[in-house]
Amino acid sequence: MAGTICVIMWVLFITNTVWTRSVRQVYEVHDLEDLTIHDFECPMECFCPPSFPTALYCENRGLKEIPAIPSRIWYLYLQNNLIETIPEKPFENATQLRWINLNKNKITNYGIEKGALSQLKKLLFLFLEDNELEEVPSPLPRSLEQLQLARNKVSRIPQGTFSNLENLTLLDLQNNKLVDNAFQRDTFKGLKNLMQLNMAKNALKNMPPRLPANTMQLFLDNNSIEGIPENYFNVIPKVAFLRLNHNKLSDAGLPSRGFDVSSILDLQLSHNQLTKVPRISAHLQHLHLDHNKIKSVNVSVICPSPSTLPAERDFFSYGPHLRYLRLDGNEIKPPIPMALMTCFRLLQAVII
């Protein structure tokens, strides 16, 4: 029991790290005495808070061009402007940049000068959401840890785009125009440390191929995915959070083992075309199956066999871990089968 709790706490800690690092500053100790008066120069279009000398705020100012960035700047805020290009020159002295927010501008791939981003050798976070990009920009700095490209027009990922991004942990491509032929078998090669991949709200009909082995969070909601290849999850043995809501999954499109994958803790399959509850792992904790076409629950199929449990062990410690089950919006009529409650004794909530 202690071992299981430790594993779960570790997964939640890692998950929290991936989610929260995108919204917090990467604070490090600065010796302000080392900064000269020249270092405190501030572009007239922007605001430089005296209490936060490494930040430059240029958001919501109707800017059409990026101003020259002082060398002391770590955090650059340029969101919600009218910027169309990212040239090299404004960044020639900005060798310390860690964070750039260029969300909600009018940036196109043609407007990004080659080398403008890759020259930023210490950059960790790059936000380019809500722009006019049609492909993932390249080249990018090897140091990058998070790349946010949601709500663009991305339909292409040039070969080798991710080949040098071994430090990237989060890639957000949700709400773009990706289709199946946007991916090659080696598209994600090089992303050795990727943990979260979001490709929700695209136009995929198939699962993306050959995902990075360390992927823990995979979000594919609101596509048109019809099936999952046999042994698909063998390539991503650490996946813990899987979201496939609002797709076209049917019983025939699932692997023979269903979702009997020991690493998966949270599985979301809402708004699909399933008529049966798929097989699941004893380790699964949250299962969303609402708004499918399920008519009944065959507990003998979905309940892990007692024979697989260690002999003479406490069932509460070694039995199925399912705690939350959502089945509303199907064709199931109450009451809940008693066998379901007998099998999943840790259930805290069942919505039917």
Side-chain angles (χ1 to χ4, degrees):
M1 180 64 175
T4 302
I5 292 176
C6 289
V7 170
I8 293 172
M9 292 299 291
W10 178 82
V11 169
L12 293 177
F13 170 77
I14 294 298
T15 302
N16 185 62
T17 300
V18 173
W19 276 99
T20 58
R21 286 199 68 183
S22 64
V23 295
R24 72 185 185 199
Q25 300 290 358
V26 191
Y27 291 111
E28 289 190 16
V29 176
H30 301 277
D31 190 348
L32 299 184
E33 295 181 355
D34 292 339
L35 297 176
T36 66
I37 296 211
H38 176 73
D39 290 325
F40 281 98
E41 290 182 354
C42 184
M44 62 180 298
E45 308 95 328
C46 307
F47 171 62
C48 302
S51 61
F52 194 7
T54 56
L56 182 61
Y57 291 90
C58 313
E59 75 277 23
N60 303 305
R61 295 170 189 266
L63 298 181
K64 294 185 178 180
E65 296 181 350
I66 298 174
I69 311 303
S71 59
R72 73 178 187 278
I73 298 302
W74 283 37
Y75 310 103
L76 176 59
Y77 298 89
L78 285 161
Q79 67 268 29
N80 207 11
N81 281 292
L82 303 171
I83 297 169
E84 296 181 358
T85 62
I86 304 179
E88 282 191 53
K89 188 169 178 59
F91 297 101
E92 60 185 3
N93 294 320
T95 57
Q96 300 300 314
L97 273 174
R98 266 69 166 179
W99 174 299
I100 299 178
N101 190 333
L102 277 159
N103 291 345
K104 295 186 178 180
N105 278 283
K106 297 185 176 182
I107 298 167
T108 64
N109 290 96
Y110 298 106
I112 303 176
E113 187 175 354
K114 187 172 183 180
L117 296 173
S118 60
Q119 69 176 329
L120 305 174
K121 304 299 184 182
K122 296 184 179 181
L123 189 65
L124 302 176
F125 302 91
L126 178 58
F127 298 81
L128 282 166
E129 299 177 349
D130 297 285
N131 278 281
E132 304 292 328
L133 299 174
E134 295 183 359
E135 62 182 44
V136 177
S138 179
L140 294 169
R142 184 182 297 270
S143 57
L144 203 62
E145 293 184 5
Q146 294 196 12
L147 178 59
Q148 308 267 2
L149 298 172
R151 295 176 298 279
N152 276 274
K153 301 176 181 178
V154 175
S155 62
R156 299 184 300 275
I157 304 176
Q159 189 168 12
T161 296
F162 302 128
S163 60
N164 71 324
L165 299 183
E166 64 266 19
N167 294 307
L168 199 71
T169 60
L170 184 151
L171 175 59
D172 190 347
L173 286 164
Q174 67 172 306
N175 210 340
N176 276 282
K177 296 186 177 181
L178 291 169
V179 295
D180 296 330
N181 63 13
F183 306 105
Q184 307 299 321
R185 287 187 62 82
D186 61 349
T187 294
F188 298 103
K189 186 177 181 180
L191 298 178
K192 298 177 181 179
N193 291 297
L194 191 72
M195 296 169 63
Q196 184 186 116
L197 177 59
N198 191 341
M199 289 189 287
K201 295 185 178 180
N202 278 279
L204 303 178
K205 293 184 178 180
N206 296 292
M207 300 289 284
R210 303 293 299 180
L211 296 182
N214 284 316
T215 303
M216 294 180 64
Q217 302 177 41
L218 178 58
F219 305 147
L220 292 166
D221 314 80
N222 293 92
N223 279 280
S224 297
I225 296 173
E226 299 176 351
I228 301 173
E230 198 72 27
N231 301 319
Y232 182 83
F233 299 108
N234 290 356
V235 181
I236 45 174
K238 297 180 181 180
V239 63
F241 300 87
L242 179 61
R243 291 199 333 223
L244 282 159
N245 302 319
H246 292 277
N247 277 281
K248 297 181 179 180
L249 288 171
S250 64
D251 303 326
L254 301 185
S256 58
R257 291 178 55 212
F259 295 93
D260 187 3
V261 180
S262 61
S263 62
I264 299 179
L265 302 178
D266 189 289
L267 176 60
Q268 300 188 22
L269 299 169
S270 305
H271 294 273
N272 277 280
Q273 300 173 9
L274 302 174
T275 63
K276 303 175 183 177
V277 178
R279 287 181 59 186
I280 58 174
S281 163
H283 298 276
L284 187 69
Q285 296 185 13
H286 297 86
L287 176 59
H288 297 247
L289 287 168
D290 54 286
H291 298 90
N292 277 273
K293 299 179 180 180
I294 300 171
K295 295 182 179 180
S296 62
V297 179
N298 190 338
V299 179
S300 63
V301 173
I302 67 170
C303 183
S305 172
S307 62
T308 63
L309 302 177
E312 299 181 357
R313 295 286 189 176
D314 178 12
F315 191 91
F316 286 95
S317 300
Y318 293 89
H321 295 172
L322 193 66
R323 287 169 167 78
Y324 180 91
L325 175 61
R326 186 170 175 183
L327 288 166
D328 55 304
N330 283 284
E331 301 174 25
I332 303 171
K333 296 180 180 180
I336 299 171
M338 184 56 64
L340 184 71
M341 308 305 295
T342 303
C343 173
F344 300 105
R345 300 184 188 183
L346 298 180
L347 265 176
Q348 298 174 354
V350 181
I351 303 175
I352 192 169

